[in-house]
């Protein structure tokens, strides 16, 4: 039996694709609205597969580590030069967001 039968009004693969596009759209809108407000502080989101230690090492290259987010691959840093987001990207962060949008944990 086929997953997508011709009698279905919308095949399952189309529903999955539509759902994926919706999730990407919501995530993009959220990230764009979460840009760091203070250029000196930002939360870098590093690749999840790096793990906590690799994210901390990379973040330390971007500035002073202030905290780790609720997820171990999110690190909040401060760069006195006012370029925290750019330095996080150079250090390997996928993107950066406003630290106020991150639930911090202790180091």
């Amino acid at each position: 039996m086929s997953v997508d039968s011709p009698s279905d009004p919308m095949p399952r693969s189309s529903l999955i694709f539509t759902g994926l596009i919706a999730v990407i759209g919501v995530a993009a809108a959220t990230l764009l609205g979460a840009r760091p407000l203070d250029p000196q502080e930002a939360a870098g989101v590093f690749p999840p597969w790096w793990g906590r230690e690799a994210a901390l090492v990379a973040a330390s290259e971007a500035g002073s580590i202030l905290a780790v987010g609720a997820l171990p691959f999110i690190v909040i840093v401060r760069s006195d030069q006012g370029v925290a987001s750019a330095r996080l990207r150079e250090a390997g962060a996928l993107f950066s967001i406003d630290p106020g949008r991150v639930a911090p944990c202790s180091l």
Side-chain angles (χ1 to χ4, degrees), residues 60-88:
S60 69
E61 296 172 11
S64 302
I65 296 175
L66 300 178
V68 176
L71 299 172
F73 52 86
I74 300 175
V75 184
I76 301 168
V77 301
R78 176 173 181 80
S79 172
D80 291 331
Q81 292 84 17
V83 290
S85 290
R87 295 202 48 171
L88 283 165

